[in-house]
Amino acid sequence: MAGATRFIDKLKKAARLEPSKKTIQLDAGDEVVMYVTPLTASERERAKKDARSEDPGAFALQLLIKKAKDSNGVPLFTPGDVAILKNEVRDSDLQNLMLAVLGVDEDEDELDMKSSSEGA
């Protein structure tokens, strides 16, 4: 069994933890783009701890802060942005951003769209 693939190795390979592009339409009509990797158990645990609350919104906000990145993998937010997001961003836009991080969206397969000439 020296050449047999271990089950854990199959799980790791199937995880596909590469970032996916998320395009979010804001209420004002603008579109914003962020890249997010799938959630791991460790990230979920850390976000729950950092939320310091049982509120699902606080948990989702922590995930947004930690997981939203630009195309170069640079975080879009810092922990200091929480108050700004809560007080100076339209709630519906914030909800859409948080849902995108949680994986509730339709843009999962858009990674190859950068080379597409369709649109406009």
Side-chain angles (χ1 to χ4, degrees), residues 20-36 64 68-69 76-77 89-107 110:
S20 60
K21 180 180 179 181
K22 309 290 183 174
T23 303
I24 298 92
Q25 176 96 26
L26 302 176
D27 280 348
D30 301 347
E31 283 189 347
V32 292
V33 174
M34 64 183 175
Y35 291 80
V36 180
L64 176 66
K69 313 256 187 210
L76 296 175
F77 304 106
V89 173
R90 191 181 294 222
D91 185 58
S92 56
D93 290 338
L94 182 58
Q95 294 294 323
N96 286 333
L97 291 168
M98 292 187 300
L99 288 172
V101 168
L102 290 168
V104 182
D105 72 338
E106 64 282 347
D107 296 331
E110 285 200 0

Side-chain angles (χ1 to χ4, degrees), residues 11-12 15-18 36-48 59 63 66-67 101-102:
L11 288 175
K12 285 176 17 183
R16 298 182 193 149
L17 296 177
E18 300 84 22
V36 180
T37 57
L39 182 64
T40 65
S42 176
E43 290 170 330
R44 180 178 33 80
E45 290 170 5
R46 184 67 190 170
K48 278 185 176 182
F59 167 72
L63 285 179
K66 290 177 183 358
K67 296 190 67 65
V101 168
L102 290 168

Side-chain angles (χ1 to χ4, degrees), residues 99-117:
L99 288 172
V101 168
L102 290 168
V104 182
D105 72 338
E106 64 282 347
D107 296 331
E108 283 292 324
D109 299 323
E110 285 200 0
L111 278 178
D112 296 328
M113 295 300 284
K114 289 181 182 178
S115 61
S116 176
S117 60

